[in-house]
Amino acid sequence: MTIANPLQTEREMAMKNSIQSRLVILHMMVIVCITTGRHVAGQPLITPIPRRASFDRAKAHLGRKLFSDPLLSSDGTVSCESCHLLDQGGVDHLKFSLGVEGQLGKVNSPTVFNSSYNFFQFWDGRAIDLKEQARGPMTTHYEMNETLPNIVKKVKNSAEYPPLFLSIYPEGITEDSIVDAIAEFEKALDTPNSQFDKYLRGDNNALTEKEISGYVLFNSLGCIACHNGVLIGGNMYQKFGIMKEYRDPTNNPGRYRITGRKEDREVFKVPMLRNIELTAPYFHNGRVSTLKEAVDTMVEYQLGVNISKEEKSQLVAFLRTLTGEQPAFLTEDNQE
Amino acid sequence: MKSIILRYPKTIITLALFLLFLIFTSFVFVKTNANLRNQAEKVIHIQALEMLNNEILAFVSSRVTYVNYDDIVNKQAGFRKELIRLREDSELRITDPAAAQIDTLLKKVDKAFQAQSVLIEDFKSYKSIVNNSVHYIFSIQPRIRNSLCVLDQDRENRESMTLIFRVLSAILVQNIEGIGDINKIEALINEILLDDLNPANRKMVQLFKRHARQIVSYQKKLDTINTLVNNKELTKSLNALKTVMVEYYRKKGKRLKEIGVSLFVITFVLFLVLIYFFIRADRNRKKIFELMNAVQNSDNSIVITDLEGTIQYVNKAFERNTQYAANEAIGQNSRILNAKSQPDEYYENMWETILNGDTWYDTFHNKRKDGTYFYEKASISPVFLPDGSFRSFIAIKLDITREKELQNKLEAANQALNEQIEELKLLQSAIEHTTDSIVITDKDGRIEYANPAYGKMTGCDCSEAPGTLFKLLKRGPHNMNFYDEMWKWLAKGDRYCGVHSCETADGTMYYDEETIIPIIDENGERTHFVAAGRNITERIKVEEERLNANKLESLGILAGGIAHDFNNILTAVLGNISIAKLAVSKGKQPLNYLEEAENACVRIKDLTLQLLTFSKGGSPVRKSVSMSKLVSESARFMLHGSSVDCHLDLQDNLWGAIVDEGQINQVMNNLVINAVQAMPDGGTLKIKAENRIMNENNPQNLKAGRYVKLSVEDQGVGIQPENLSKVFDPYFTTKQNGTGLGLASAYSIITKHQGCILLNSSPGKGTCFAIYLPASMESAAGTKENTAEEHHGTGNVLIMDDDPNIRNILGEMLEMLGYTVAFASDGQRAIDMYRDAMNLPSKFDVIIMDLTIPGGMGGQEAITTLRKIDPHIRAIVSSGYSNDDVMANYQDYGFTGVVAKPYDLRVLSKTLREILR
């Protein structure tokens, strides 16, 4: 198709009409797709969290023990749970977490809930899976500040661990078996059956009208372009400040630190929106502490659109429906 | 096991090879299979990678708007996982050059994938941005149009509007259909002028422009990514990898397949060979089975041993014959059967023969398990192998124990027969040469055999004798009754003995002592007679002469003895008469000498009486006598005062006998005296009397009938055998002062009583005389003793004697006479008893006292005391010492009477009657 000379009026008009009609069709199509939450190929853009997570129960029990054991830190003061509080949505509600000797972290602690669904771990996606991720905090000097060989030694010297390990891992206590147990525990930390998941599964009464309006906005505004999949996020990287340059007070270079490509400056993993209501403060730098502020930031820097207060309120209302049931394993485990 | 291998070497080797190849083939087959599966897996992995790659590429080139990125994330994760799997797998075989190539390619793929992943992530980010902006500009398009269309007449607006539409349409075309030049769109965007627009529209269009620029800018990036991705670095690497891998596994598989096929062929060939061997072995096995069966059940013992003789096989007959079970015998040396009765050389010879390769035949004397022996006829031969060597022997043996035993028996019987023949020959020779005539006749008296002596004796030609009747016996002067008796005798089957007077052929008389024995067969039938004859004419003559001489000799001895006795007594008679005459002449009393002479004459009378018993005139005066009384009294009197212990054994209800009492008494006395004299050192004398009924043909040659048997047995010196025949001869004696008449007269007396006297003696042990006397038909109890001269009386008598026998005899005698008796063993006791009873009604009327009591108070001492107690005491002294002064002058010593020992009942009764009167 060639673009006609703008000065040829008739043709312009004809084309204008033809374009107009085609645009209308296209737009209609897009709207339909977006409002139903389906992309063109037919797969839903957001899928509910499976009702039952698959994990090894025995390993998960052992992993939980390790997860909350400060033995894994150099001075025995910090455990994984110190920053990922299991009764607090998997976060500590601090901008930056506190490591050994009160050292402050450099990035906001993301939640451990549903973390197994992340395509890569950490804000910059430097860990391919949870096992790799688990090694990070243990060995970071301002977090748990311990070496893995030491941890193995300490776990081996403890009274309770060796028999537990031997009953599960034929090789006994090794670096790998320790992180494997922790990762297995984290797989158990799923939060299924949120109101929104129920809605996705066909329960139209699960959401209020306002919440549904928020969901429609979430789609039509294009939030869904990055926040999709089971976690509503967590499956791609994106630049922070697409439409407007974002001034990060922490000067976090994002993925650039990993890849060294200039394109990757201020590029972070798109965080999940599951349980977002519980995991304030928000963003990698924990700069905002309310959902409203977060929505404002996203609309301004990422979407580059103007929306009304009413619409923002609807979006926040939708986001609150993403809070799921607390992990079943934790309640079962507490009962045991 | 070893033997099996040796037996079927080909089969075993083939089987081993077959199994080996089978295992190897299976191994290769499994290996190939695994390889193929592995290859298939690898290809599947690669195909999965290709598929994922294609999907990822499709994702990149797709023009859809919003996408759930979980999908692409999962695909990439899947790709990563597959790749890792492949790498881990191939790393195991890194030494293989082809595998190393695969590994390099895998690394290349991984690198391409990493690069692609970065592009994909960028694509996702950029795509989102583009999508959002596209979406936004279209969403604000109506508003822009509305705003601008209000001023439709405004040229600027229209131009802007046109531009915006052109941009929109360009973006739409570009975005949806993927055609168009981004730079042109960028130029169009730049053409949109904001200055002519009112502020409100300007802001809106400005936003539009910003988003459109974003679209253009990111679309450029997306195009770049598209170009890079479509470079298909990864796809090429994957293809290369696939080609190399498929080739690698194909080659490998092909090689394995070739090996597999060749192995299969070999295995199959081996299998066929094996089947061939099996069929052949089966055929052989059947043959061997038949042979085995034949051997196993053969009646012959069959044993197979090795060269040392160790048993390797035995059959059932062996087990039966030797009692060794097969499992017991196998492994043992065949020596276990050796009875060790055959010499070692015998076995050495056998070994030498068979080790030489020859067959040995002979007989073994073997021992069974239970130790019994048996004979075996054996043939032992080496079992030759095809090459002419041998490693074993086969022994085939037949139990010939029974045959052997029969043979032995036969031999023994033969030997016995030979011996018998020899004996018969000897006997025949003896018969031929004996001087006795021997004739064997049939049952009718027809001669079957006659020896030369017969001919000589009878004067016939003995060669003509067989067939003729045995008439020899009828030649003599015997009447027919004689022969009838003989035939009766013989008819009973008894032996006949007799002396016949016969005539020889020439008429000479001779005495023939003939013994005829009937020969009785097993059925009791008489078949033959054997007649043994001896001419005893000469012997009879000699015996007659000798008998005469003997009679003369006896007579001589008798006459000598009588002469001697008579001479002696006559000496006394003549002497005393001479002295009496001398005394008369000298004026002295000659009475004593005359009395002596008279006594001597009485002795002569006695002697004469004794001699008379030998003569026919001395027949016994017989009457019925109680034998028990006779024997007991006789023994009692004879034995009194002797040191001999007497056992008197008299049968109850002993029969009486009609005998001359005096003579039988004499016989008993003689026998007892002989017995006592034969036992100078004392001993036991057994006198026995018993009833006997004798049949005819008794050894004593007595008439049949009832007899009283008296026997006197001593334990004395016995009689020397040479004297046995002489003891009954008159005047034969072995004693210094014997008369030689005792036993002779006893013999004579008994014989005259129709009895017999027998003697049995063994020197040093003793002699037994047995007398058989005919018993009287009536009982002897009624026979009354003549007691006319015995004086019966009454009164209490105290007897004092140390000897209990004498006390008893005396007591019995006195009681027999009617007296009441009491006993005292010595003087003191007698005094006490007498004193105690003095004033009682049972006062002793008379006391009879022994003169001397050894170690006690005698009669002489006692009477002094008793006289003091009772001055009127009536006391009788008694003693064997008749020459004692007290006995002679008893009244001087205070005694009333005297009785000499041995007691005479008549004297005693008379004395008592006189004292008590």
Side-chain angles (χ1 to χ4, degrees):
Chain A
M1 190 185 193
T2 50
I3 304 297
N5 188 343
L7 300 175
Q8 291 174 329
T9 316
E10 291 127 35
R11 282 181 66 190
E12 260 176 30
M13 287 311 291
M15 199 181 69
K16 190 174 116 187
N17 289 339
S18 120
I19 287 168
Q20 268 183 337
S21 58
R22 283 173 68 176
L23 275 175
V24 168
I25 293 161
L26 180 76
H27 195 225
M28 288 292 284
M29 204 173 80
V30 170
I31 295 300
V32 168
C33 287
I34 287 168
T35 48
T36 54
R38 295 186 169 276
H39 76 68
V40 187
Q43 199 200 0
L45 289 169
I46 301 175
T47 49
I49 292 175
R51 288 205 176 93
R52 208 149 185 85
S54 67
F55 58 92
D56 186 314
R57 205 155 273 276
K59 287 181 182 178
H61 279 298
L62 178 59
R64 172 162 196 190
K65 207 175 263 297
L66 291 163
F67 191 81
S68 33
D69 198 335
L71 185 76
L72 307 190
S73 65
S74 61
D75 61 356
T77 58
V78 179
S79 72
C80 304
E81 203 180 354
S82 301
C83 306
H84 302 288
L85 301 169
L86 296 173
D87 54 350
Q88 300 277 329
V91 295
D92 54 3
H93 303 300
L94 295 172
K95 202 184 230 178
F96 302 118
S97 301
L98 291 166
V100 291
E101 294 157 7
Q103 290 184 80
L104 211 56
K106 290 184 164 45
V107 73
N108 180 258
S109 297
T111 179
V112 282
F113 288 178
N114 305 313
S115 56
S116 61
Y117 294 105
N118 278 320
F119 84 137
F120 288 103
Q121 304 295 337
F122 294 123
W123 282 102
D124 51 16
R126 69 179 181 273
I128 195 159
D129 55 20
L130 284 171
K131 275 168 79 174
E132 199 180 328
Q133 184 276 333
R135 292 165 187 260
M138 289 186 215
T139 52
T140 308
H141 74 275
Y142 51 82
E143 293 185 24
M144 291 162 86
N145 190 30
E146 188 51 284
T147 63
L148 279 161
N150 258 348
I151 289 170
V152 170
K153 213 182 288 174
K154 284 200 275 185
V155 172
K156 272 186 180 169
N157 289 338
S158 75
E160 52 180 339
Y161 284 114
L164 288 173
F165 268 91
L166 274 173
S167 67
I168 300 162
Y169 297 97
E171 72 271 23
I173 299 164
T174 62
E175 294 181 12
D176 193 67
S177 61
I178 289 169
V179 296
D180 186 69
I182 293 169
E184 205 66 27
F185 167 60
E186 288 169 336
K187 282 183 195 168
L189 299 176
D190 58 333
T191 65
N193 296 325
S194 64
Q195 288 303 108
F196 178 64
D197 280 352
K198 287 174 189 170
Y199 174 78
L200 284 180
R201 287 199 170 99
D203 182 2
N204 289 327
N205 299 325
L207 299 187
T208 62
E209 261 182 50
K210 185 181 180 186
E211 286 161 354
I212 292 171
S213 310
Y215 174 45
V216 172
L217 273 176
F218 189 81
N219 283 296
S220 59
L221 286 177
C223 308
I224 195 97
C226 298
H227 292 282
N228 55 43
V230 66
L231 290 183
I232 319 174
N235 61 2
M236 64 179 286
Y237 302 110
Q238 191 51 282
K239 188 179 168 72
F240 202 151
I242 299 165
M243 301 306 292
K244 187 176 174 182
E245 196 185 344
Y246 181 75
R247 294 187 183 279
D248 182 6
T250 60
N251 285 322
N252 194 328
R255 268 185 69 72
Y256 175 74
R257 199 163 54 198
I258 312 304
T259 64
R261 299 194 308 162
K262 65 175 189 343
E263 300 98 303
D264 285 335
R265 280 197 176 276
E266 283 97 39
V267 170
F268 296 90
K269 183 178 77 182
V270 176
M272 67 171 98
L273 297 181
R274 292 282 179 187
N275 303 310
I276 194 68
E277 182 190 9
L278 306 176
T279 58
Y282 304 111
F283 305 134
H284 65 273
N285 48 22
R287 199 172 173 190
V288 301
S289 50
T290 65
L291 281 173
K292 194 181 158 294
E293 286 173 286
V295 168
D296 283 343
T297 309
M298 283 292 107
V299 168
E300 184 182 358
Y301 289 95
Q302 298 301 92
L303 294 176
V305 297
N306 299 315
I307 57 170
S308 65
K309 257 193 175 165
E310 179 59 32
E311 285 172 327
K312 282 178 189 169
S313 157
Q314 286 169 356
L315 275 174
V316 170
F318 163 70
L319 290 177
R320 288 189 203 283
T321 67
L322 301 179
T323 305
E325 290 170 1
Q326 291 309 288
F329 179 75
L330 290 178
T331 37
E332 285 166 23
D333 201 38
N334 287 339
Q335 277 165 8
E336 279 171 14
Chain B
M1 187 67 200
K2 199 179 159 192
S3 60
I4 291 168
I5 292 171
L6 285 174
R7 211 173 300 161
Y8 310 110
K10 283 181 205 162
T11 316
I12 296 297
I13 289 165
T14 316
L15 182 68
L17 277 174
F18 170 70
L19 289 175
L20 198 71
F21 276 99
L22 191 69
I23 290 164
F24 200 49
T25 311
S26 309
F27 174 73
V28 169
F29 179 74
V30 169
K31 195 91 193 288
T32 314
N33 238 13
N35 199 279
L36 289 172
R37 204 168 50 240
N38 205 351
Q39 181 187 348
E41 252 175 43
K42 289 292 175 320
V43 173
I44 286 167
H45 283 314
I46 291 171
Q47 277 170 347
L49 285 179
E50 277 181 330
M51 232 157 70
L52 287 168
N53 185 39
N54 286 340
E55 282 181 22
I56 291 162
L57 289 178
F59 167 75
V60 172
S61 51
S62 79
R63 305 238 153 227
V64 293
T65 54
Y66 297 134
V67 178
N68 182 339
Y69 289 136
D70 281 356
D71 197 31
I72 190 74
V73 165
N74 289 338
K75 278 170 186 160
Q76 279 185 295
F79 192 98
R80 208 179 296 124
K81 225 192 268 173
E82 290 290 339
L83 198 59
I84 287 166
R85 238 189 258 170
L86 262 179
R87 286 199 63 176
E88 277 172 357
D89 200 42
S90 54
E91 268 165 8
L92 294 173
R93 272 181 239 97
I94 199 86
T95 42
D96 193 309
Q101 196 189 352
I102 290 168
D103 196 57
T104 316
L105 281 168
L106 275 170
K107 276 181 188 159
K108 210 168 157 189
V109 168
D110 190 32
K111 207 173 155 191
F113 175 72
Q114 294 295 346
Q116 198 198 50
S117 291
V118 172
L119 293 174
I120 299 289
E121 288 309 323
D122 284 349
F123 180 85
K124 276 151 74 181
S125 304
Y126 301 162
K127 185 77 179 171
S128 296
I129 294 166
V130 171
N131 276 347
N132 265 359
S133 291
V134 168
H135 179 61
Y136 182 75
I137 57 173
F138 278 102
S139 69
I140 60 164
Q141 171 258 334
R143 267 198 285 163
I144 292 173
R145 199 179 56 180
N146 287 347
S147 304
L148 295 186
C149 280
V150 175
L151 313 165
D152 203 24
Q153 291 78 23
D154 187 341
R155 197 177 166 267
E156 283 79 29
N157 277 3
R158 213 172 49 202
E159 271 181 16
S160 294
M161 191 63 206
T162 308
L163 276 172
I164 283 168
F165 275 120
R166 283 179 65 182
V167 166
L168 273 173
S169 76
I171 285 172
L172 188 70
V173 168
Q174 215 285 324
N175 198 251
I176 299 200
E177 293 171 16
I179 34 181
D181 190 351
I182 292 292
N183 294 327
K184 271 184 184 170
I185 296 168
E186 200 176 9
L188 277 174
I189 292 165
N190 288 336
E191 273 177 48
I192 299 168
L193 298 173
L194 301 169
D195 305 340
D196 304 339
L197 298 173
N198 63 35
N201 284 344
R202 192 190 299 157
K203 201 179 175 185
M204 198 159 60
V205 175
Q206 207 168 7
L207 200 58
F208 175 86
K209 273 181 78 173
R210 232 174 79 200
H211 277 284
R213 281 210 184 96
Q214 281 283 43
I215 290 166
V216 169
S217 131
Y218 281 104
Q219 191 60 50
K220 272 185 184 167
K221 286 181 181 174
L222 281 174
D223 287 345
T224 316
I225 288 168
N226 229 328
T227 317
L228 284 172
V229 169
N230 280 330
N231 236 357
K232 295 190 180 166
E233 193 61 38
L234 183 57
T235 312
K236 282 177 198 160
S237 307
L238 273 175
N239 282 337
L241 178 65
K242 189 179 169 183
T243 314
V244 170
M245 270 177 84
V246 168
E247 183 61 21
Y248 170 70
Y249 284 112
R250 200 181 59 80
K251 268 187 190 165
K252 211 168 173 182
K254 197 179 163 191
R255 203 168 64 236
L256 281 171
K257 237 184 253 173
E258 281 164 3
I259 293 169
V261 166
S262 46
L263 279 173
F264 176 75
V265 168
I266 291 168
T267 310
F268 185 72
V269 167
L270 283 171
F271 180 67
L272 289 178
V273 171
L274 198 67
I275 284 174
Y276 168 72
F277 280 132
F278 180 76
I279 290 166
R280 218 178 60 171
D282 191 54
R283 210 181 297 146
N284 284 343
R285 201 167 51 83
K286 271 181 196 155
K287 246 188 246 172
I288 287 166
F289 181 74
E290 279 170 16
L291 271 173
M292 275 301 288
N293 222 4
V295 168
Q296 186 74 3
N297 296 316
S298 167
D299 205 35
N300 290 317
S301 287
I302 296 175
V303 181
I304 296 172
T305 71
D306 64 9
L307 295 185
E308 278 81 43
T310 308
I311 296 170
Q312 292 175 330
Y313 168 81
V314 299
N315 72 345
K316 282 179 187 167
F318 176 89
E319 294 181 272
R320 232 174 14 243
N321 287 349
T322 65
Q323 297 173 349
Y324 283 102
N327 55 4
E328 290 172 324
I330 290 168
Q332 297 272 12
N333 195 289
S334 52
R335 274 197 296 276
I336 53 166
L337 297 173
N338 192 343
K340 300 202 172 69
S341 63
Q342 285 160 311
D344 288 347
E345 298 84 63
Y346 188 80
Y347 290 98
E348 279 164 19
N349 169 273
M350 177 200 80
W351 280 110
E352 202 181 319
T353 307
I354 57 173
L355 284 169
N356 238 354
D358 295 331
T359 303
W360 182 88
Y361 303 96
D362 215 329
T363 308
F364 282 128
H365 186 222
N366 279 349
K367 194 166 70 175
R368 292 197 184 88
K369 194 185 174 187
D370 65 358
T372 55
Y373 296 98
F374 64 106
Y375 286 95
E376 280 185 318
K377 195 172 179 66
S379 87
I380 305 177
S381 42
V383 180
F384 286 102
L385 298 174
D387 62 356
S389 71
F390 57 92
R391 279 199 289 271
S392 54
F393 297 115
I394 181 161
I396 301 172
K397 305 191 281 184
L398 190 63
D399 189 341
I400 54 158
T401 310
R402 272 182 64 190
E403 289 84 338
K404 199 80 182 177
E405 275 171 5
L406 281 175
Q407 192 188 335
N408 285 349
K409 266 189 203 166
L410 209 62
E411 276 173 10
N414 213 15
Q415 201 179 340
L417 210 60
N418 281 337
E419 279 168 12
Q420 260 175 339
I421 288 167
E422 285 300 314
E423 211 177 320
L424 281 174
K425 274 185 188 165
L426 205 64
L427 281 173
Q428 197 185 2
S429 167
I431 287 169
E432 297 274 336
H433 293 99
T434 186
T435 53
D436 290 359
S437 80
I438 293 171
V439 176
I440 301 170
T441 74
D442 62 11
K443 63 180 192 291
D444 301 321
R446 213 172 292 279
I447 293 171
E448 292 187 349
Y449 172 81
N451 73 342
Y454 170 77
K456 201 176 168 189
M457 191 170 77
T458 59
C460 305
D461 186 354
C462 63
S463 60
E464 290 171 5
T468 62
L469 279 169
F470 183 45
K471 293 174 187 167
L472 168 75
L473 297 176
K474 292 183 180 174
R475 287 185 188 165
H478 301 284
N479 58 18
M480 284 311 288
N481 284 346
F482 177 85
Y483 293 106
D484 289 344
E485 281 293 312
M486 186 189 85
W487 277 112
K488 268 183 205 167
W489 195 268
L490 289 173
K492 281 198 282 179
D494 285 347
R495 195 169 68 160
Y496 167 81
C497 284
V499 176
H500 310 257
S501 54
C502 304
E503 266 176 24
T504 60
D506 55 8
T508 313
M509 279 296 294
Y510 67 97
Y511 286 99
D512 180 16
E513 190 185 52
E514 198 73 26
T515 306
I516 304 177
I517 305 157
I519 306 293
I520 314 271
D521 68 3
E522 56 263 30
N523 301 323
E525 299 277 324
R526 266 175 295 122
T527 56
H528 295 87
F529 291 105
V530 176
R534 180 178 291 175
N535 188 342
I536 56 165
T537 315
E538 284 303 307
R539 202 179 74 196
I540 285 172
K541 274 183 193 167
V542 170
E543 269 181 9
E544 275 171 0
E545 281 167 14
R546 203 180 63 198
L547 210 59
N548 287 340
N550 276 5
K551 276 179 186 168
L552 284 175
E553 191 186 355
S554 293
L555 200 63
I557 292 169
L558 181 65
I562 294 166
H564 177 77
D565 278 3
F566 268 88
N567 268 343
N568 283 352
I569 301 165
L570 281 175
T571 304
V573 174
L574 288 176
N576 279 307
I577 291 171
S578 300
I579 295 165
K581 278 160 79 178
L582 198 65
V584 171
S585 68
K586 281 187 181 174
K588 283 183 185 175
Q589 188 60 256
L591 191 62
N592 282 344
Y593 304 110
L594 288 173
E595 280 177 355
E596 282 295 318
E598 190 186 32
N599 283 343
C601 286
V602 169
R603 264 158 59 205
I604 291 172
K605 187 194 163 201
D606 287 348
L607 184 62
T608 311
L609 272 174
Q610 274 195 331
L611 286 172
L612 275 175
T613 58
F614 292 107
S615 72
K616 282 180 179 171
S619 293
V621 181
R622 291 193 218 182
K623 55 182 180 178
S624 188
V625 173
S626 163
M627 287 308 289
S628 54
K629 189 181 172 192
L630 191 150
V631 171
S632 59
E633 279 182 6
S634 171
R636 196 181 294 152
F637 280 102
M638 290 313 295
L639 285 169
H640 183 73
S642 80
S643 60
V644 168
D645 198 5
C646 178
H647 281 259
L648 205 56
D649 183 4
L650 304 177
Q651 187 178 346
D652 293 339
N653 302 321
L654 193 69
W655 295 321
I658 301 166
V659 294
D660 183 324
E661 193 179 353
Q663 285 188 354
I664 298 301
N665 225 349
Q666 193 188 339
V667 170
M668 284 303 292
N669 289 352
N670 283 341
L671 292 180
V672 171
I673 284 165
N674 272 351
V676 171
Q677 285 176 346
M679 295 187 287
D681 300 326
T684 307
L685 174 68
K686 286 183 189 167
I687 298 175
K688 211 171 168 185
E690 52 197 324
N691 297 333
R692 279 291 166 93
I693 294 173
M694 306 304 284
N695 297 319
E696 281 185 39
N697 301 326
N698 55 71
Q700 290 81 23
N701 271 324
L702 291 169
K703 280 186 187 169
R706 305 204 299 172
Y707 286 82
V708 173
K709 181 192 175 188
L710 306 174
S711 60
V712 177
E713 187 182 356
D714 66 48
Q715 295 176 325
V717 292
I719 299 166
Q720 293 304 314
E722 64 267 21
N723 293 335
L724 279 174
S725 60
K726 295 177 188 170
V727 288
F728 294 117
D729 286 353
Y731 290 99
F732 174 81
T733 184
T734 55
K735 294 168 195 162
Q736 286 289 324
N737 48 355
T739 63
L741 288 175
L743 285 174
S745 61
Y747 184 86
S748 183
I749 290 165
I750 297 299
T751 310
K752 281 178 183 159
H753 277 84
Q754 282 83 43
C756 80
I757 181 162
L758 301 167
L759 166 63
N760 189 10
S761 179
S762 44
K765 283 186 178 173
T767 308
C768 180
F769 282 96
I771 297 167
Y772 290 83
L773 285 171
S776 59
M777 288 302 144
E778 71 271 28
S779 171
T783 314
K784 264 238 165 176
E785 282 281 334
N786 181 11
T787 56
E789 290 182 340
E790 287 163 7
H791 303 282
H792 289 255
T794 54
N796 291 330
V797 181
L798 178 60
I799 296 165
M800 188 213 85
D801 201 307
D802 60 332
D803 188 345
N805 290 324
I806 293 180
R807 284 204 301 265
N808 291 340
I809 291 167
L810 192 51
E812 271 177 38
M813 282 177 164
L814 291 176
E815 275 170 356
M816 224 155 68
L817 292 170
Y819 297 96
T820 309
V821 288
F823 301 103
S825 58
D826 62 16
Q828 190 54 54
R829 187 169 287 259
I831 291 166
D832 293 341
M833 284 172 74
Y834 191 85
R835 187 195 290 141
D836 291 344
M838 211 165 73
N839 296 319
L840 297 169
S842 60
K843 171 182 185 293
F844 293 110
D845 299 307
V846 69
I847 181 166
I848 299 171
M849 289 193 285
D850 199 359
L851 182 60
T852 50
I853 303 287
M857 188 192 277
Q860 197 184 343
E861 200 181 337
I863 193 64
T864 321
T865 315
L866 286 169
R867 278 276 165 216
K868 284 173 191 166
I869 294 165
D870 183 9
H872 304 293
I873 187 170
R874 282 173 280 212
I876 295 170
V877 68
S878 157
S879 178
Y881 302 105
S882 52
N883 55 349
D884 197 285
D885 191 40
V886 179
M887 295 291 283
N889 305 307
Y890 60 92
Q891 282 161 331
D892 295 348
Y893 292 90
F895 289 101
T896 323
V898 66
V899 179
K901 288 180 187 174
Y903 299 116
D904 185 335
L905 195 61
R906 280 169 291 186
V907 175
L908 186 62
S909 66
K910 196 180 156 197
T911 308
L912 279 170
R913 204 178 60 151
E914 282 170 3
I915 285 172
L916 291 169
R917 189 183 292 164

